[in-house]
Amino acid sequence: MIKLSKILKEVMEQEEQDNVAVENTYDKVIKDALKVDQIPLVKGKYKLGQSGTVQGSDKDTFNKLYKVAPPTAGKEIGSAGTKGSGNGEIALYWLFKYQIPSVPAEDSRGVDNPDLIIDGHGVEVKSMDKAELPLGRFGHQDYKEVILLLNDIFSLYALSSLIAHKKKRIPTASNFNQDELEEALESIIELHKDENLKKYSEAFPIISNIFKKTNIIFDKLSLKDVSDITEAGGAVLKKLLLVKLTRKLILNSKEPGYIVNVGSDGKITYYEVTKEKIEKLDNSKIMDSNNVTAKQSFLTIKPEILFK
């Protein structure tokens, strides 16, 4: 005699298959990779934001899906050399969507979009074998205020370099590194504190405008000590980071987003990110050991240090 519990379990599993039956590209890619007509259900329980390791029979399917990726836009499923996502992304998608009960999970790839949206939360999926996580370029309309700030900083730096007869490359908002940002801010701090130059402000409008500009810069950075180069640099990079992660993880409310490191061994490590956490980051910590770097409009962070 078949046990009632077994019948109920089979019914529940069939209902779950029906619940997740609406196919998208990821589902088709999974079927293609596993060579199945019906995607296997996940046996374990996996909670968003809770780090752990893929267990039991789930590990075999996870391993098969770990390096599987959808093709880039316009390419056929199974196309060689056209990966449209990184390692672990589809495997993580499977772990949530095909649980019992199913946890809503969808593909959200795109410029500055999260890789996945799981249960309404933006999730950036990476397979990191080193501390640095590349977040991509900045330059969208949402970055307008930060880019204007960077333009002001580097314009004043160019002016001070000209006055001092320095023949150095002048960085721009779209092409600078951390050392150049610090050097530019040091130059502006020197200008800002130049009492001798301030004496000519009333007589020469151009000089008055310089000090108006330095005041605007330091007001935007909300610094207690305008002589601290590290604090100033961290404040600039924090503004970039806040815009980038707000877009990347959909941080438009108090709800968190997640950066998740998915290892080939099945280890899944989450870093919870909120706007509040970003805003409370210490500026010196941001600058320390290149925990946040911006180079040629490309932002990179060390999530384990910033958000563990």
Side-chain angles (χ1 to χ4, degrees), residues 126-137:
K126 298 295 179 184
S127 175
M128 297 183 288
D129 54 5
K130 54 184 180 180
E132 293 84 5
L133 167 66
L135 289 178
R137 296 187 178 277

Side-chain angles (χ1 to χ4, degrees), residues 17-32:
Q17 286 283 12
D18 293 340
N19 287 339
V20 297
V22 178
E23 278 198 336
N24 56 35
T25 299
Y26 275 21
D27 296 319
K28 293 174 182 177
V29 169
I30 291 171
K31 286 183 176 182
D32 181 72

